[in-house]
Amino acid sequence: GGGCAILIPEHERKDAVQVYSGHELEIIAVRMNNYQPALTLICMYGAHPYHEVSEYGMAELDNIISSQLSQGCNIIIGGDLNSWIGNYVEGNHEKVNKPGETLLEIIKKHKLFVGNSLDPKPTYRDHKTKNARILDLVITNEESLIKNCKVDALPRDDGNVPEFTPFRVVNHKKSQEIKYSDHASLIVDCEPLLRKCKVKRVTKRTFW
């Protein structure tokens, strides 16, 4: 799925099934069958609004959501969707772009919950306009799955030092400079239910 990745702990890999991986589209979806109901994780990097695959990407996202929900799965979507959803999340920048309009239609169609509303801080600030808005989103069909959502401080916020946002060190002749990612990191605590395991009955035997 392009620049997207979903990391699965080794002990859960046998229960993971990849249900979608795009080529031109940066979307990857993995269903975890060790949860009840099964949980489909969808990671997506949304194309910029002017890119020709932007509308196609949203259509594919809608198809994946429809398919997984129809199979009785819960879903969690995460990523930089490049979608301005305006004040659908209270306190967000009010403007909505074309991908944002489409995403809001998908959210309303499937009655999804935007986890960012638990911590409605901006995740990105535009270099030129200095406008800050939510671009990095976590979305689910089951609100109870998301127990906590924390947005890190934006790197350019005066006086705020990010806690867990990635950075790189730039070496100058006489000094070093820390440069953070343009996007604030988002940490989400989820609590899906593990599938009940069937325990085989063991009969004690004595061998001579």
Side-chain angles (χ1 to χ4, degrees), residues 140-157:
T140 182
N141 68 306
E142 182 55 63
E143 183 176 346
S144 64
L145 285 176
I146 299 179
K147 301 302 180 184
N148 185 40
C149 178
K150 181 179 181 183
V151 177
D152 204 0
L154 275 171
R156 286 179 292 279
D157 278 355

Side-chain angles (χ1 to χ4, degrees), residues 46-52 54-55 82-84 97-99:
H48 288 276
Y50 54 79
H51 199 290
E52 60 183 4
S54 176
E55 189 173 340
N82 270 310
S83 301
W84 303 359
N97 62 3
K98 181 61 178 174

Side-chain angles (χ1 to χ4, degrees), residues 93-166:
H93 193 282
E94 63 182 7
K95 284 192 176 180
V96 178
N97 62 3
K98 181 61 178 174
E101 291 176 359
T102 307
L103 181 59
L104 287 173
E105 290 174 3
I106 292 172
I107 289 170
K108 293 170 184 176
K109 171 184 174 182
H110 297 291
K111 299 179 181 178
L112 305 179
F113 170 70
V114 179
N116 297 67
S117 60
L118 298 176
D119 188 17
K121 293 198 292 285
T123 65
Y124 176 79
R125 177 174 285 116
D126 189 278
H127 289 289
K128 296 179 181 178
T129 66
K130 305 303 180 184
N131 288 330
R133 58 171 48 86
I134 296 171
L135 280 186
D136 306 87
L137 295 159
V138 57
I139 302 169
T140 182
N141 68 306
E142 182 55 63
E143 183 176 346
S144 64
L145 285 176
I146 299 179
K147 301 302 180 184
N148 185 40
C149 178
K150 181 179 181 183
V151 177
D152 204 0
L154 275 171
R156 286 179 292 279
D157 278 355
D158 294 337
N160 287 335
V161 178
E163 291 182 58
F164 42 82
T165 294

Side-chain angles (χ1 to χ4, degrees), residues 184-197:
S185 291
L186 183 69
I187 290 183
V188 180
D189 294 326
C190 304
E191 290 187 8
L193 292 175
L194 280 169
R195 184 184 63 204
K196 292 181 179 179
C197 299

